[in-house]
Amino acid sequence: NNVYVDTNQNNSFADEQAMTDYRVRNDIGTFGTDDAATDVREAMPFVVQTDGKNKVVNIGIVSGAHGSHVAGITAANGMFGGEMSGAAPGAKLVSIRVCLFIAGCTAHALIEGMTFVAKQGNVDVINMSIGGLPALNDGNNTRAVLYNRLIEQYKVQMFISAGNSGPGVNTIGDPSVAGKVLSVGSYISKDTWQKNYGSDSEFVDNLHYFTSRGPREDGGFKPNIVAPGAAISTVPTWQPGGPVAGTYPLPPGYAMFNGTSMAAPQAAGAAALLVSAAKQTGAQHQPDQLRQAINSSARLLDTGRIAVYEQGNGLMNVGAAWDLLKTNLKPVEISSSVPVNTVLSGFLATPGFGQGIYAREGVAVGEAETWQYTFVRTSGGSKPVTYNLGLRGDAGAFKLAQFDQTGQRQRVTSISLPLNTPVRLDVDFFTTTPGAHSAILDLDDPGTAGVDYQTMNLVIAADGFTAANNYTVTKSGTVGRNQVLHYFFAVPAGTPAFKVDFAGPSTAVGTGQARFLRWHPYGVGIDSNASTACYMPAAAGCSTGSPNSRTAANPQAGVWEVTVDARRTSDAAEVPFTLTASILGASVSPNPDVIPSATVGTPVARSYTLTNLFGEFTGRAVGTELGSAKREVKSIGNLEVQEFEVDVTVGSTAFRATIGGTSDTAADLDLYVYNCTTGTCVLAGQSADGDSEESVTVANPAAGKWKVVIDGYAVPAGTTSYNYIDVFTNPAFGSISVADTNAVRPAGSSWTVPGTVTATAAPGADRVLLGAVQVRTDGNILVGSGDVIVESVTP
């Protein structure tokens, strides 16, 4: 299975003889002696790395086209016979592999590779077209800290792709979240849409729908800029050309790819030009000067259509950046701190505080809000420096204020920062329009070139669900081809289901092609954002449900985002749509339904009343199997660990452990379930977030011993009580039967159904039988449940 490669000719051969024959035909010769072989090797412009101790040979074969494409964007010189070049044609490239032939890039390589190239690679700028989206993308991890230090210590600026996880808010990717890294989003012009995709856009300036949006979880300024993200560039020459949706073919060795992976090398190549010009003219080009020149000169795109949290400072402008860089910029160090309110803001480096305003939670339309900034200047002269204050973006929603020497609060347009002294600045916010409102706050010393400090500020005023709107919010309008709209909905705690319905496009010609995508309050996508996923009419499948309607069960409380975008191949320039979001939930009465005693095999007649608490749905009541359950109120101390053993019987269909309802509402208890049926306990599931409402369910558990572990991770009160349930359901214990069928259930409506509870076995010592009457939609989404308890079973 060996493939022999003639490195001088870049050809591959089936076996060694074929390679030898080729060399003879082309006067390359055969190797009669070791010396002759060495002479040939030394003549070849290719180095094979060998490691005799570990028996490893590295012949440098790339695992795909991505790196070659990025390299061409950065520094290709004379593509297509000299007709085209990359951003910095002829720049020297130093390549570091951090990804494997299989999927994925290792943390070790991402750290060691960047350390090597910064310390020993003798490079001026670094491009990394790699990224992923963690829920907590605040730039406070080991790799981000390391990258900041590499930039500072080795004077090399890093450019990293912002990520392709958009278009949701707070989807900026790691490692571009590192503070001193320039995070680059993906821009595309109207002309490029037409040439590379055969698609028309209404606007000259656009973002790719998939480009990750800011801000960072702590409100940090990301992305910093955008750059062209669709490019025709080099790929390995053994690969065929393509694909291009336009009218022209590409030869082998060239392809059109798109993504922030393509945008970052555009910016890195442009930065190489700036560094080259600075070296030739003697201008200073330290990383902080390069960042200030690029950020201060970027062209902000139409903020009425593309918010600043989506584009950062806008499109990189090389000429304008050079005009600033050649003045020998004098950057200063300024820090900022301001309250942040997100579901995850308690996990920030300073809980609840960040660099810029990111208020995803707690803001209502028509209610005034104020945030207090603290700015500190930590470099520069000892005398106070006055900075002009500017707001760019949705500036009308934000106002700036300070208290004067008499204690009066005044609107301000400048701020004075003494050295190493905290200074307060208030930011007032008010809007009558729901949605995302963002603005860049600039601090600019008028006596120096460039903007000295910036913060990103994003406030989301979400639509709420109330009895007045029947727990349903409807958005209607049109979305342009290649465009994205953003909507936000506050889902309250304890909501059983969050449903989104979508209508408008149809299979009829000319009605367009559009879709909706859902975004968790953490800023991560629920649905695939692939270029064909979930569109209506369908272009491909939708792995999370129907293109017309999808429901999230037990949604995380907080502000959910729903985006609407029209496909680039849509057969209508403007696609009409109606988006309907609703929360669903129902109650069951009585709850719990306690049956003191039941006889084995004898049905017990019951009656249940179901009430729709929220938005209209089509659904029914159903009964479940019974299970053997332990239900207790327990107590646990701070850092205490409790273990409970459960013997699960043969034929059980599910095993569930649930805790919650702590007396100390600030307590954080974690839950772990172990399978010990083989003699060795193996973790089967865990629930360990920032509160104490935890549950783990294991389907079809093996018979035998299981262990439930409760960890008192944090109990501020010292001890807390909590509710504990473990239950394994099994048809051997009996079932609950309810007579009901699917029907439309309007908001606030109630209906009553008859049922029977039949116990067929006793639950065991100190345990009860536990089942439920559930309310489920016609899509089988659980929207309500009531417990049924049989306290004792007699023969």
Side-chain angles (χ1 to χ4, degrees), residues 68-334:
S68 300
H69 198 268
V70 167
I73 292 171
T74 307
N77 188 7
M79 293 185 289
F80 295 101
E83 296 183 13
M84 299 179 184
S85 291
K92 180 181 178 181
L93 296 177
V94 177
S95 177
I96 302 296
R97 182 193 294 280
V98 299
C99 299
L100 307 177
F101 279 80
I102 59 174
C105 312
T106 68
H108 175 271
L110 286 166
I111 289 174
E112 295 299 328
M114 291 305 101
T115 301
F116 171 82
V117 77
K119 290 179 63 176
Q120 300 165 257
N122 194 32
V123 299
D124 296 300
V125 296
I126 295 174
N127 175 80
M128 181 186 287
S129 289
I130 295 171
L133 177 58
L136 186 63
N137 55 348
D138 62 344
N140 182 35
N141 58 44
T142 300
R143 185 168 55 237
V145 171
L146 172 73
Y147 286 2
N148 288 335
R149 290 178 180 175
L150 290 176
I151 292 169
E152 291 173 352
Q153 293 181 21
Y154 299 104
K155 310 304 180 185
V156 54
Q157 182 58 46
M158 299 178 71
F159 294 77
I160 301 183
S161 53
N164 301 329
S165 300
V169 166
N170 181 228
T171 50
I172 199 74
D174 186 301
S176 82
V177 290
K180 296 183 183 297
V181 162
L182 279 171
S183 175
V184 188
S186 186
Y187 165 91
I188 181 169
S189 69
K190 179 177 182 178
D191 287 344
T192 302
W193 276 119
Q194 292 171 333
K195 296 298 187 296
N196 285 3
Y197 302 101
S199 173
D200 286 323
S201 176
E202 179 182 354
F203 305 100
V204 173
D205 295 318
N206 303 275
L207 299 183
H208 276 108
Y209 77 89
F210 54 72
T211 188
S212 290
R213 271 70 169 178
R216 222 166 51 177
E217 190 72 41
D218 67 340
F221 197 122
K222 299 290 175 176
N224 301 100
I225 56 171
V226 296
I232 294 170
S233 184
T234 49
V235 297
T237 54
W238 63 77
Q239 295 187 346
V244 176
T247 58
Y248 53 90
L250 290 175
Y254 294 99
M256 191 280 290
F257 293 165
N258 53 238
T260 57
S261 283
M262 286 64 244
Q266 286 277 8
L273 295 179
L274 295 174
V275 172
S276 175
K279 287 183 175 182
Q280 293 178 60
T281 60
Q284 298 171 6
H285 53 276
Q286 296 298 312
D288 55 353
Q289 294 173 310
L290 198 60
R291 291 195 303 273
Q292 185 171 352
I294 292 171
N295 287 327
S296 299
S297 61
R299 176 171 67 86
L300 201 62
L301 308 179
D302 178 7
T303 57
R305 184 171 52 89
I306 305 173
V308 294
Y309 78 85
E310 302 181 84
Q311 61 172 304
N313 283 299
L315 184 64
M316 184 174 179
N317 186 333
V318 184
W322 171 240
D323 288 340
L324 286 176
L325 188 64
K326 66 185 180 183
T327 65
N328 294 331
L329 294 167
K330 296 177 175 57
V332 296
E333 291 290 334
I334 297 174

Side-chain angles (χ1 to χ4, degrees), residues 301-647:
L301 308 179
D302 178 7
T303 57
R305 184 171 52 89
I306 305 173
V308 294
Y309 78 85
E310 302 181 84
Q311 61 172 304
N313 283 299
L315 184 64
M316 184 174 179
N317 186 333
V318 184
W322 171 240
D323 288 340
L324 286 176
L325 188 64
K326 66 185 180 183
T327 65
N328 294 331
L329 294 167
K330 296 177 175 57
V332 296
E333 291 290 334
I334 297 174
S335 66
S336 57
S337 177
V338 68
V340 170
N341 189 4
T342 73
V343 172
L344 296 175
S345 55
F347 296 95
L348 299 176
T350 301
F353 286 83
Q355 291 184 1
I357 299 171
Y358 179 25
R360 187 174 186 131
E361 307 292 332
V363 177
V365 173
E367 294 184 4
E369 302 283 350
T370 297
W371 287 268
Q372 294 179 5
Y373 262 108
T374 299
F375 290 99
V376 181
R377 179 174 62 88
T378 55
S379 72
S382 58
K383 294 182 179 180
V385 179
T386 298
Y387 296 93
N388 291 336
L389 298 172
L391 288 167
R392 295 183 291 152
D394 190 3
F398 298 87
K399 304 296 182 184
L400 308 177
Q402 280 187 310
F403 288 94
D404 62 20
Q405 294 179 347
T406 65
Q408 298 297 311
R409 196 167 182 271
Q410 305 287 343
R411 295 285 176 220
V412 294
T413 58
S414 64
I415 186 172
S416 178
L417 299 182
L419 185 64
N420 297 321
T421 303
V423 176
R424 171 177 165 177
L425 176 71
D426 288 356
V427 177
D428 298 332
F429 174 84
F430 180 82
T431 184
T432 58
T433 306
H437 302 271
S438 61
I440 296 171
L441 174 60
D442 291 326
L443 278 65
D444 183 15
D445 178 357
T448 61
V451 177
D452 296 275
Y453 189 71
Q454 298 178 306
T455 66
M456 179 68 73
N457 303 279
L458 172 64
V459 179
I460 295 174
D463 282 293
F465 298 103
T466 64
N469 61 20
N470 287 325
Y471 304 100
T472 299
V473 178
T474 299
K475 304 289 184 179
S476 296
T478 60
V479 58
R481 185 190 296 122
N482 302 320
Q483 303 303 308
V484 178
L485 300 174
H486 305 260
Y487 302 102
F488 301 88
F489 305 95
V491 176
T495 298
F498 173 52
K499 184 183 182 187
V500 181
D501 297 307
F502 187 69
S506 70
T507 56
V509 175
T511 61
Q513 200 170 20
R515 67 177 173 185
F516 74 89
L517 301 176
R518 299 166 299 167
W519 307 86
H520 191 280
Y522 290 174
V524 296
I526 299 298
D527 308 301
S528 169
N529 74 342
S531 62
T532 57
C534 295
Y535 279 106
M536 189 178 112
C542 186
S543 60
T544 47
S546 164
N548 300 87
S549 181
R550 299 192 287 280
T551 302
N554 297 315
Q556 164 72 47
V559 172
W560 287 66
E561 180 180 5
V562 179
T563 61
V564 175
D565 70 271
R567 197 177 179 204
R568 63 174 176 251
T569 55
S570 172
D571 64 358
E574 295 288 335
V575 183
F577 69 91
T578 299
L579 180 80
T580 303
S582 56
I583 57 173
L584 308 180
S587 64
V588 179
S589 180
N591 181 25
D593 178 19
V594 180
I595 301 172
S597 179
T599 302
V600 169
T602 302
V604 180
R606 315 303 288 173
S607 178
Y608 299 99
T609 298
L610 306 311
T611 302
N612 182 5
L613 302 175
F614 299 130
E616 180 180 291
F617 66 90
T618 299
R620 71 205 185 283
V622 298
T624 70
E625 294 177 343
L626 293 172
S628 172
K630 173 74 76 173
R631 302 174 79 249
E632 292 183 322
V633 176
K634 298 181 180 292
S635 179
I636 192 171
N638 186 50
L639 301 179
E640 181 183 355
V641 176
Q642 298 176 346
E643 298 182 357
F644 308 100
E645 292 185 348
V646 183
D647 289 316

